[in-house]
Amino acid sequence: QVQFVESGGGLVQPGGSLRLSCAVSGSIFSIYAMAWYRQAPGKQRELAAYISSGGDVNYADSVKGRFIISRDNAKKTMALQMNSLKPEDTAVYYCNKKKSPGSWGQGTQVTVSS
């Protein structure tokens, strides 16, 4: 079973930064495109960013220019550097495969508030 463990969330003020990490176990990892998803209270889960097995990256318009996604295939980890955070970034952030996502982890809460 593929497992995803997210960490790094917290409470930050608008304009602040956070770095989220995702540890993956039970998979080859290096062959999969990976993604960060987020779900705000009362809203559907949305794709924030994804990265191909080769390192090509894509971002939702709402986070483009502020977030940076990366991966380390040797360590089987993925990261999301979040800068210039806005209140609308408040959500639970999850990592998973881009195609055919597996079971969801607990996610990590990001709250942007003054």
Side-chain angles (χ1 to χ4, degrees):
Q1 287 286 336
V2 179
Q3 294 181 319
F4 307 95
V5 180
E6 302 91 347
S7 62
L11 173 64
V12 298
Q13 295 187 350
S17 298
L18 281 174
R19 184 177 177 85
L20 307 183
S21 295
C22 170
V24 183
S25 64
S27 74
I28 298 175
F29 183 74
S30 63
I31 68 172
Y32 299 115
M34 294 291 295
W36 282 99
Y37 301 85
R38 64 184 186 180
Q39 186 167 25
K43 298 184 178 180
Q44 293 185 328
R45 183 178 59 245
E46 65 175 359
L47 180 67
Y50 66 92
I51 182 168
S52 74
S53 60
D56 294 327
V57 300
N58 294 88
Y59 301 94
D61 288 341
S62 58
V63 308
K64 190 174 298 181
R66 300 186 298 119
F67 291 9
I68 302 173
I69 188 173
S70 61
R71 67 190 295 163
D72 187 329
N73 288 341
K75 296 180 179 179
K76 298 177 67 174
T77 59
M78 186 173 62
L80 185 68
Q81 177 66 45
M82 306 185 296
N83 302 313
S84 301
L85 284 163
K86 305 175 180 179
E88 50 263 46
D89 294 319
T90 296
V92 177
Y93 285 71
Y94 303 89
C95 61
N96 214 318
K97 294 183 292 181
K98 172 63 173 61
K99 183 179 181 180
S100 300
S103 298
W104 299 95
Q106 292 295 306
T108 185
Q109 175 71 234
V110 172
T111 302
V112 185
S113 176
S114 59

